[in-house]
Amino acid sequence: MPVPDPLLDRRAVLGLLGAGLALPRTLLAGELDPAAFTGFLDAPRPSFTLSNATVLTHDGRVLPQSGIQVEAGRVVALGPAVSGGEDLGGDWLVPGLVDAGCTLGMFDIGAEPSTRDDRDGPSISPTARAVDGFHPRSETLAVARVEGITHALIHPQLQGLVPGRAALVRTAGGTLDSSVRRASLALVVCFGKAGTGGEGGVDSRIGVARALRALIEEAPEPRPLTGRGGGGSWRENSAKAATPETESERVLLHLRERRLKVLAAADRADDIERALDWFDKNDLDGVILGGAEAWMVAGQLADAGVGVLLGPVTTQPDSFSHLHARYENPALLHAAGVPFAFRSGGNHFARQLRIHAGIATAHGLPHEAAVHALTASAGTILGVPGLGRLEPGAAATFFRATGDPLQPRSRVRQVWMAGRRTSMETRQTRLRDQFSSLPPR
């Protein structure tokens, strides 16, 4: 019996693959539905009403047998007095969730370098922007959106001293213009071992501290305010100050003038202390990013009035950078009066954000505090009015769920952004539908 030629087998396989090029495009790529590219199902509706629902507000209040009335993309009425329209049968209406720190939409396959746009080379890159690596049609955005995440603070990979600037995006839109809400919201600075490495980087915490002092010393001096009662604006004083010559100088000047926030990535308690000291000595508008051991310095954070973009909540004590990580971290910060918002810190698994908040409630965090940290708290900390809020006058950005969103068995049925229904389709659901029934052989 002749032995099959492996070369011929390979040719046969290649022939079959080549034949696929002649198949209809819709069979290979799916129906060319605009919603698959923008994330929206329809145009803005002039007005609509949803009733017979359990409304969960951004401050954690539960309003049974309530409804919501929307006009021109904004909430005009909310509560038990709203009736009529679509009957939701008791399902929950929840404010859109905000991931307060992740790399969502910045790569599709972690192990494939050609898809990664979440980092720059130099250790100090104040001019690098996360938004320049953001793909508004990334498949990861749909996966996050169908779990109720409507907005995300995206940042470069936390590697090197100054990896770049963070941006605020929403998980639908399909184009940069419609998806990006704030292209340059804060500058990210890494303390601890995260601040080491990178092209031209430093090797230790000593080097990180020295380089951060030098960064401020070399930055342009902030321009003084003038005007009645010490008021005024930076523009009024621009003629009295030297104009920054480079984009890097402009970024650092805005940092020193508190027109740009700084996110200090720090997990170990002493690194958080160093960040607080750096904020204070240089009069910076700072926020802690990460904070795995923040509970150990909760009193200092509260006294300084510094917020924390906290997470991942499930961080384990498996590194010398956070040996004292614990699930009670959010509860202890809340008890101390420290403002915080939840972050996933990831991309593909950003969808688990609400489950992380549920874990925090299982370890002592009050339910209403967890809801606030998932929704409106990020906007308060970052200075973005209206973000994550569900109240009259706010953008109609919310989702419908089968139950309490902090319970893992609750399922998200539908998501609205500014009054527009969004697609609940993902690559996974398309593959499921395509292969759930196969033709007979």
Side-chain angles (χ1 to χ4, degrees):
M1 181 176 178
V3 178
D5 185 345
L7 181 60
L8 293 178
D9 288 348
R10 289 196 295 272
R11 286 174 177 168
V13 171
L14 291 173
L16 290 172
L17 291 175
L21 298 177
L23 293 174
R25 291 179 62 189
T26 53
L27 181 61
L28 293 175
E31 294 294 334
L32 298 181
D33 181 356
F37 298 99
T38 67
F40 290 114
L41 281 179
D42 52 21
R45 298 161 65 185
S47 64
F48 64 92
T49 301
L50 306 172
S51 63
N52 190 20
T54 300
V55 174
L56 180 64
T57 64
H58 58 268
D59 53 4
R61 290 179 298 126
V62 178
L63 308 177
Q65 296 182 325
S66 294
I68 184 170
Q69 184 179 351
V70 176
E71 292 183 3
R74 294 199 168 269
V75 178
V76 295
L78 185 75
V82 178
S83 61
E86 183 180 354
D87 188 319
L88 299 189
D91 279 356
W92 289 48
L93 291 177
V94 184
L97 309 184
V98 180
D99 189 333
C102 61
T103 53
L104 195 61
M106 299 180 71
F107 64 90
D108 282 300
I109 304 172
E112 175 50 55
S114 66
T115 75
R116 299 206 66 138
D117 290 306
D118 59 337
R119 53 194 168 197
D120 195 10
S123 176
I124 301 178
S125 301
T127 59
R129 304 188 309 169
V131 72
D132 293 327
F134 174 67
H135 181 200
R137 289 176 291 278
S138 170
E139 294 288 350
T140 62
L141 295 176
V143 173
R145 183 177 65 245
V146 299
E147 288 296 332
I149 298 173
T150 59
H151 291 82
L153 177 77
I154 60 170
H155 55 70
Q157 188 181 95
L158 302 180
Q159 176 181 313
L161 193 71
V162 184
R165 283 174 281 168
L168 180 68
V169 301
R170 65 178 179 182
T171 56
T175 65
L176 289 172
D177 184 60
S178 60
S179 300
V180 177
R181 314 317 295 165
R182 299 281 185 92
S184 182
L185 188 57
L187 182 68
V188 181
V189 172
C190 295
F191 282 74
K193 297 304 287 186
T196 63
E199 182 183 319
V202 296
D203 298 324
S204 67
R205 283 179 168 81
I206 293 176
V208 168
R210 172 189 54 76
L212 287 176
R213 287 195 297 269
L215 185 73
I216 294 298
E217 289 171 359
E218 295 167 5
E221 286 291 328
R223 294 166 288 191
L225 286 170
T226 61
R228 296 179 181 177
S233 67
W234 302 117
R235 184 175 297 176
E236 291 171 358
N237 296 280
S238 59
K240 301 180 181 180
T243 302
E245 296 181 358
T246 65
E247 183 184 1
S248 180
E249 288 182 347
R250 286 194 294 272
V251 171
L252 295 176
L253 175 62
H254 291 173
L255 192 73
R256 297 201 64 187
E257 291 179 343
R258 298 176 67 90
R259 289 198 284 167
L260 183 68
K261 289 184 179 291
V262 56
L263 307 182
D267 279 320
R268 212 169 77 176
D270 57 306
D271 290 330
I272 296 174
E273 290 185 88
R274 292 186 184 95
L276 291 176
D277 183 65
W278 190 64
F279 297 160
D280 181 59
K281 287 184 176 178
N282 298 291
D283 192 27
L284 303 177
D285 189 3
V287 177
I288 300 297
L289 183 70
E293 293 185 355
W295 65 273
M296 302 181 73
V297 290
Q300 292 168 256
L301 286 163
D303 290 343
V306 171
V308 181
L309 304 182
L310 185 66
V313 169
T314 54
T315 298
Q316 300 292 307
D318 56 1
S319 165
F320 286 110
S321 293
H322 41 75
L323 285 176
H324 302 287
R326 56 189 294 190
Y327 285 167
E328 293 85 1
N329 194 11
L332 295 170
L333 290 177
H334 173 71
V338 178
F340 66 90
F342 288 121
R343 66 182 287 264
S344 71
N347 182 7
H348 295 85
F349 293 99
R351 65 181 186 269
Q352 297 178 343
L353 186 67
R354 64 187 180 93
I355 307 306
H356 289 182
I359 292 173
T361 63
H363 289 80
L365 181 66
H367 185 275
E368 60 273 16
V371 172
H372 185 68
L374 277 173
T375 57
S377 186
T380 302
I381 293 171
L382 295 170
V384 184
L387 183 64
R389 305 182 77 86
L390 188 59
E391 61 187 0
T397 299
F398 55 90
F399 63 92
R400 174 186 179 181
T402 57
D404 183 348
L406 303 191
Q407 295 295 328
R409 299 183 70 174
S410 296
R411 182 167 56 88
V412 177
R413 291 185 185 272
Q414 186 62 66
V415 180
W416 289 263
M417 292 192 196
R420 297 179 67 180
R421 289 186 308 135
T422 66
S423 171
M424 298 300 287
E425 183 181 80
T426 68
R427 177 177 175 82
Q428 288 85 340
T429 63
R430 292 195 299 272
L431 291 172
R432 177 202 64 196
D433 295 341
Q434 183 177 356
F435 296 107
S436 58
S437 60
L438 297 177
R441 297 183 62 179

